[in-house]
Amino acid sequence: MRAIPATALILAVIAACARIDAMPGPAEGEKVFAANCVACHDYRGQGAELSGGGEAPDLTRIAERRDGDFPRAEILTKIDGYGRGKVPSEIMPSFGALLEGELVPVEIDGVMTPTPRPLAALLTYLESIQVSEAG
């Protein structure tokens, strides 16, 4: 009789861990996008003119600009501030809060990489909004 409640408790803990460690979906990432990105990239992610001049890029056509490839590693480094390259922090700030929280496994170039959940969620959302010229 005691084995059944113990087994149920173990299964509940395993199920909770599976949900936590799972890659977040686009809906979770859309919330992160709304809180951090719409001021520059528009609520649809299609880019906008910046108040200081220049233009924030259209995030819905990242893959199209790269012959259909969505460059996960490159996108993560632009968001998290590492490897910013030619985009100065005054134009594309780093988002420290996206680097906090539990880690989830994200496939990057064939390697499962521990990534903060908010950053992984945003990546999933951006990947989900990709369009092509035809669509």
Side-chain angles (χ1 to χ4, degrees), residues 19-115:
R19 282 191 304 270
I20 290 172
D21 291 338
M23 181 70 168
E28 187 176 336
E30 185 174 16
K31 292 175 186 173
V32 175
F33 184 84
N36 295 282
C37 310
V38 297
C40 295
H41 293 282
D42 175 78
Y43 72 95
R44 290 168 283 162
Q46 295 176 331
E49 191 172 320
L50 299 173
S51 61
E55 194 166 312
D58 182 343
L59 301 178
T60 67
R61 297 189 182 276
I62 296 168
E64 181 183 76
R65 291 189 297 266
R66 289 166 178 78
D67 297 322
D69 180 47
F70 186 81
R72 286 180 156 199
E74 179 185 333
I75 298 307
L76 288 175
T77 60
K78 285 193 183 202
I79 296 167
D80 69 18
Y82 297 112
R84 178 124 12 249
K86 297 178 183 175
V87 182
S89 61
E90 302 84 50
I91 295 174
M92 175 66 181
S94 60
F95 295 96
L98 296 180
L99 304 177
E100 298 174 0
E102 65 181 309
L103 300 177
V104 296
V106 175
E107 189 274 315
I108 305 291
D109 299 331
V111 177
M112 296 308 283
T113 306
T115 305

